[in-house]
Amino acid sequence: MSDNNYREMYVSEALEHVEIINQTLLQLEEKPDDRPYLDQIFRSAHTIKGMASTMGYDDTRELCKNIENIFDTLRNGEEKLTHHLTSALFACVDLLQQMISDEKLKVDLTPYLKKLENPEEEIDNIPIRESFVTTTSPTIRVKMSDLDSLVNLVGELLISKMRLEQTIQNENHEESKQVLMEVDRLITDLQYQSMQVRLVPINQVFSRFSRTVRDTSQKLEKKINLNMNGSGIELDRSVLDSITDPLLHILRNCVDHGIEFPDERLKSGKSETGNITLTAARKGENVLISIIDDGKGIDAERVKEKAVEKGIITQDEANRIPHQEAIQLIGAPGLSTAKEVTDVSGRGVGMDVVISQVESVGGSVKILSEKGNGTTMVLSLPLSLSIIRGLLIVVSEQRFVLPLSSIMTTLQIKPEKIFPIHGTEVIKLRDKIIPLIRLNKLLDIESKKIDDSKSTTVIIIENDGKNYGLVVDEFERNQDIVIKKLDKSESSNLFSNATILPDGKVALVIDPSLLIH
């Protein structure tokens, strides 16, 4: 095994133990005399120390030895876990995480070791480190049962391949068809099992947010209770990695700008402790992640005022825009209603960046809020980025793919049912006015002559909580789509993905979030 492989294994396992220490220390802060928590942290520190010693990382070994010694004294009853000692331990754990992730990091351990010895003293030269460092492990844990299934499927596929070759040589066409059906089934099973291997429990990310909320609320002198429920849901590893930063930013905003200070909450008739709830739920082929706080909510009037000030909307539009649409403006580039920039969430990263990061993996963000009654943000995410179900559509003899997750229904509309409002073609569907988008015009494709007497094919899609009707020539069928990411030189402001069709031709994948602004 190469040195790189050993390094990857060390980083992966050591970071897992760092996470165990982080989470267990949070629980120990609530129950300082709980012996199993003390034992767990001692074991994890001891394990990292042993691995670091084997790899020759002396500073990491030394820091772990001192953390281990602290917990040995706590287990023996020679010392008590205090708030100051907990904070000192967290500072060392943060440093430990960074040292494991970056083997070239050079740190003077002296101030950290002094802090462990005298946690109530202010020690110079201890930099304020990020309590949540988004590290992507180079490896992923896979269940043995999943690996066994993959190996078995590949074995069956190899046997079927040999059978197919034999039947072709014998020109036994009927048997060839049967074997081909068997190969098709095996490939489908292999596809499913391969996707299972990439799935990671969402709680792996959720559990790391407790520390962020704890540190941020203590820094701001707020009382906050974080409730989390991942519902046992698993997400594709690449999706999970992509949404970690957006979730972190939203939670920081909840703590910093959403939840009020204890005295403010008491004055408004609330309990002095604020609540943030982070949950995940499955909906069709998507996962919905909800972040709910019971803070002061978003002031829609102030949002409109700032939007007018920034030139995002006119004063006339501000006067007419409904409450919910005004709330969504919080995601416009450069718009912030915070009266002051703080070092917690005022980092130059607005909700527009959060939303664009979520949309980059095929997701969407919906914001609901009432002034004084808290805010709810819902992130809708695909389970996987590699394979989706899509509808093959035809526009001016060119084929495109539309993700099924964004399609509400398909219709055949008679020409007389289409009428203009303020220069936009619309239709009426279940008492709703749906604006139409003619894809050939949007994509700047020359249209073939249309027979005005025939019905128009319309696909109703949902984007950002609104419905639109896409006018196409026809649609062919639903099928599984293997996503191929376009590189920056090939992508445009309308397309970022493509797929290869069964006939070998390439079809662009239409992303409603890019199509409609």
mmCIF file of all heavy atoms in Angstrom, residues 417-433:
data_model
loop_
_atom_site.group_PDB
_atom_site.id
_atom_site.type_symbol
_atom_site.label_atom_id
_atom_site.label_comp_id
_atom_site.label_asym_id
_atom_site.label_seq_id
_atom_site.Cartn_x
_atom_site.Cartn_y
_atom_site.Cartn_z
ATOM 1 N N LYS A 417 -57.455 28.530 -25.749
ATOM 2 C CA LYS A 417 -57.308 28.573 -24.290
ATOM 3 C C LYS A 417 -56.072 29.364 -23.853
ATOM 4 O O LYS A 417 -55.852 29.577 -22.664
ATOM 5 C CB LYS A 417 -57.203 27.146 -23.719
ATOM 6 C CG LYS A 417 -58.442 26.282 -23.946
ATOM 7 C CD LYS A 417 -59.621 26.785 -23.130
ATOM 8 C CE LYS A 417 -60.835 25.870 -23.291
ATOM 9 N NZ LYS A 417 -61.983 26.350 -22.511
ATOM 10 N N ILE A 418 -55.280 29.794 -24.841
ATOM 11 C CA ILE A 418 -54.088 30.595 -24.543
ATOM 12 C C ILE A 418 -54.422 32.064 -24.781
ATOM 13 O O ILE A 418 -54.934 32.434 -25.831
ATOM 14 C CB ILE A 418 -52.900 30.175 -25.432
ATOM 15 C CG1 ILE A 418 -52.558 28.694 -25.211
ATOM 16 C CG2 ILE A 418 -51.676 31.053 -25.164
ATOM 17 C CD1 ILE A 418 -51.504 28.148 -26.151
ATOM 18 N N PHE A 419 -54.153 32.919 -23.778
ATOM 19 C CA PHE A 419 -54.494 34.342 -23.927
ATOM 20 C C PHE A 419 -53.386 35.205 -23.300
ATOM 21 O O PHE A 419 -52.633 34.734 -22.436
ATOM 22 C CB PHE A 419 -55.858 34.652 -23.306
ATOM 23 C CG PHE A 419 -55.997 34.257 -21.864
ATOM 24 C CD1 PHE A 419 -55.782 35.185 -20.850
ATOM 25 C CD2 PHE A 419 -56.357 32.951 -21.517
ATOM 26 C CE1 PHE A 419 -55.913 34.820 -19.523
ATOM 27 C CE2 PHE A 419 -56.473 32.579 -20.179
ATOM 28 C CZ PHE A 419 -56.260 33.519 -19.181
ATOM 29 N N PRO A 420 -53.268 36.463 -23.736
ATOM 30 C CA PRO A 420 -52.187 37.315 -23.219
ATOM 31 C C PRO A 420 -52.615 38.128 -21.992
ATOM 32 O O PRO A 420 -53.749 38.557 -21.871
ATOM 33 C CB PRO A 420 -51.895 38.236 -24.401
ATOM 34 C CG PRO A 420 -53.228 38.370 -25.090
ATOM 35 C CD PRO A 420 -53.972 37.081 -24.873
ATOM 36 N N ILE A 421 -51.640 38.324 -21.049
ATOM 37 C CA ILE A 421 -51.800 39.253 -19.925
ATOM 38 C C ILE A 421 -50.492 40.044 -19.822
ATOM 39 O O ILE A 421 -49.428 39.457 -19.602
ATOM 40 C CB ILE A 421 -52.084 38.519 -18.598
ATOM 41 C CG1 ILE A 421 -53.455 37.829 -18.622
ATOM 42 C CG2 ILE A 421 -52.017 39.492 -17.423
ATOM 43 C CD1 ILE A 421 -53.823 37.126 -17.328
ATOM 44 N N HIS A 422 -50.617 41.369 -20.011
ATOM 45 C CA HIS A 422 -49.430 42.244 -19.978
ATOM 46 C C HIS A 422 -48.323 41.743 -20.904
ATOM 47 O O HIS A 422 -47.138 41.734 -20.535
ATOM 48 C CB HIS A 422 -48.889 42.377 -18.548
ATOM 49 C CG HIS A 422 -49.881 42.897 -17.565
ATOM 50 N ND1 HIS A 422 -50.509 44.133 -17.720
ATOM 51 C CD2 HIS A 422 -50.374 42.353 -16.417
ATOM 52 C CE1 HIS A 422 -51.334 44.315 -16.702
ATOM 53 N NE2 HIS A 422 -51.284 43.255 -15.899
ATOM 54 N N GLY A 423 -48.721 41.262 -22.070
ATOM 55 C CA GLY A 423 -47.738 40.849 -23.061
ATOM 56 C C GLY A 423 -47.182 39.446 -22.883
ATOM 57 O O GLY A 423 -46.310 39.010 -23.629
ATOM 58 N N THR A 424 -47.673 38.725 -21.867
ATOM 59 C CA THR A 424 -47.210 37.358 -21.614
ATOM 60 C C THR A 424 -48.328 36.363 -21.887
ATOM 61 O O THR A 424 -49.459 36.557 -21.447
ATOM 62 C CB THR A 424 -46.751 37.200 -20.142
ATOM 63 O OG1 THR A 424 -45.692 38.110 -19.884
ATOM 64 C CG2 THR A 424 -46.273 35.776 -19.858
ATOM 65 N N GLU A 425 -48.005 35.297 -22.643
ATOM 66 C CA GLU A 425 -48.993 34.242 -22.898
ATOM 67 C C GLU A 425 -49.237 33.458 -21.618
ATOM 68 O O GLU A 425 -48.284 33.080 -20.916
ATOM 69 C CB GLU A 425 -48.489 33.290 -23.981
ATOM 70 C CG GLU A 425 -48.497 33.876 -25.384
ATOM 71 C CD GLU A 425 -48.103 32.841 -26.417
ATOM 72 O OE1 GLU A 425 -47.029 32.224 -26.270
ATOM 73 O OE2 GLU A 425 -48.880 32.621 -27.361
ATOM 74 N N VAL A 426 -50.512 33.210 -21.312
ATOM 75 C CA VAL A 426 -50.857 32.461 -20.103
ATOM 76 C C VAL A 426 -51.993 31.491 -20.408
ATOM 77 O O VAL A 426 -52.670 31.599 -21.432
ATOM 78 C CB VAL A 426 -51.283 33.395 -18.941
ATOM 79 C CG1 VAL A 426 -50.179 34.357 -18.573
ATOM 80 C CG2 VAL A 426 -52.569 34.143 -19.285
ATOM 81 N N ILE A 427 -52.167 30.532 -19.487
ATOM 82 C CA ILE A 427 -53.333 29.653 -19.523
ATOM 83 C C ILE A 427 -53.925 29.625 -18.113
ATOM 84 O O ILE A 427 -53.249 29.999 -17.140
ATOM 85 C CB ILE A 427 -52.978 28.213 -19.965
ATOM 86 C CG1 ILE A 427 -51.926 27.601 -19.012
ATOM 87 C CG2 ILE A 427 -52.512 28.177 -21.402
ATOM 88 C CD1 ILE A 427 -51.675 26.123 -19.259
ATOM 89 N N LYS A 428 -55.151 29.182 -18.011
ATOM 90 C CA LYS A 428 -55.793 29.060 -16.704
ATOM 91 C C LYS A 428 -55.883 27.576 -16.369
ATOM 92 O O LYS A 428 -56.390 26.777 -17.157
ATOM 93 C CB LYS A 428 -57.189 29.686 -16.741
ATOM 94 C CG LYS A 428 -57.809 29.845 -15.356
ATOM 95 C CD LYS A 428 -59.120 30.631 -15.430
ATOM 96 C CE LYS A 428 -59.707 30.823 -14.050
ATOM 97 N NZ LYS A 428 -60.983 31.557 -14.091
ATOM 98 N N LEU A 429 -55.366 27.219 -15.182
ATOM 99 C CA LEU A 429 -55.378 25.824 -14.759
ATOM 100 C C LEU A 429 -55.781 25.756 -13.296
ATOM 101 O O LEU A 429 -55.095 26.283 -12.426
ATOM 102 C CB LEU A 429 -53.988 25.195 -14.960
ATOM 103 C CG LEU A 429 -53.823 23.745 -14.514
ATOM 104 C CD1 LEU A 429 -54.679 22.811 -15.377
ATOM 105 C CD2 LEU A 429 -52.351 23.315 -14.580
ATOM 106 N N ARG A 430 -56.922 25.122 -13.033
ATOM 107 C CA ARG A 430 -57.451 24.983 -11.668
ATOM 108 C C ARG A 430 -57.471 26.333 -10.942
ATOM 109 O O ARG A 430 -56.918 26.480 -9.842
ATOM 110 C CB ARG A 430 -56.636 23.968 -10.866
ATOM 111 C CG ARG A 430 -56.587 22.587 -11.498
ATOM 112 C CD ARG A 430 -55.917 21.577 -10.568
ATOM 113 N NE ARG A 430 -55.594 20.355 -11.289
ATOM 114 C CZ ARG A 430 -54.385 20.076 -11.782
ATOM 115 N NH1 ARG A 430 -53.387 20.935 -11.628
ATOM 116 N NH2 ARG A 430 -54.173 18.946 -12.422
ATOM 117 N N ASP A 431 -58.061 27.317 -11.584
ATOM 118 C CA ASP A 431 -58.222 28.670 -11.040
ATOM 119 C C ASP A 431 -56.900 29.417 -10.853
ATOM 120 O O ASP A 431 -56.848 30.441 -10.169
ATOM 121 C CB ASP A 431 -58.978 28.642 -9.696
ATOM 122 C CG ASP A 431 -60.401 28.128 -9.866
ATOM 123 O OD1 ASP A 431 -60.993 28.413 -10.930
ATOM 124 O OD2 ASP A 431 -60.896 27.444 -8.957
ATOM 125 N N LYS A 432 -55.817 28.885 -11.425
ATOM 126 C CA LYS A 432 -54.525 29.573 -11.364
ATOM 127 C C LYS A 432 -54.131 30.050 -12.755
ATOM 128 O O LYS A 432 -54.391 29.369 -13.750
ATOM 129 C CB LYS A 432 -53.422 28.635 -10.833
ATOM 130 C CG LYS A 432 -53.480 28.386 -9.342
ATOM 131 C CD LYS A 432 -52.265 27.564 -8.922
ATOM 132 C CE LYS A 432 -52.264 27.321 -7.409
ATOM 133 N NZ LYS A 432 -51.089 26.505 -7.003
ATOM 134 N N ILE A 433 -53.508 31.210 -12.799
ATOM 135 C CA ILE A 433 -52.992 31.722 -14.066
ATOM 136 C C ILE A 433 -51.532 31.265 -14.198
ATOM 137 O O ILE A 433 -50.689 31.581 -13.351
ATOM 138 C CB ILE A 433 -53.058 33.267 -14.120
ATOM 139 C CG1 ILE A 433 -54.513 33.730 -13.996
ATOM 140 C CG2 ILE A 433 -52.434 33.792 -15.405
ATOM 141 C CD1 ILE A 433 -55.414 33.260 -15.132
#
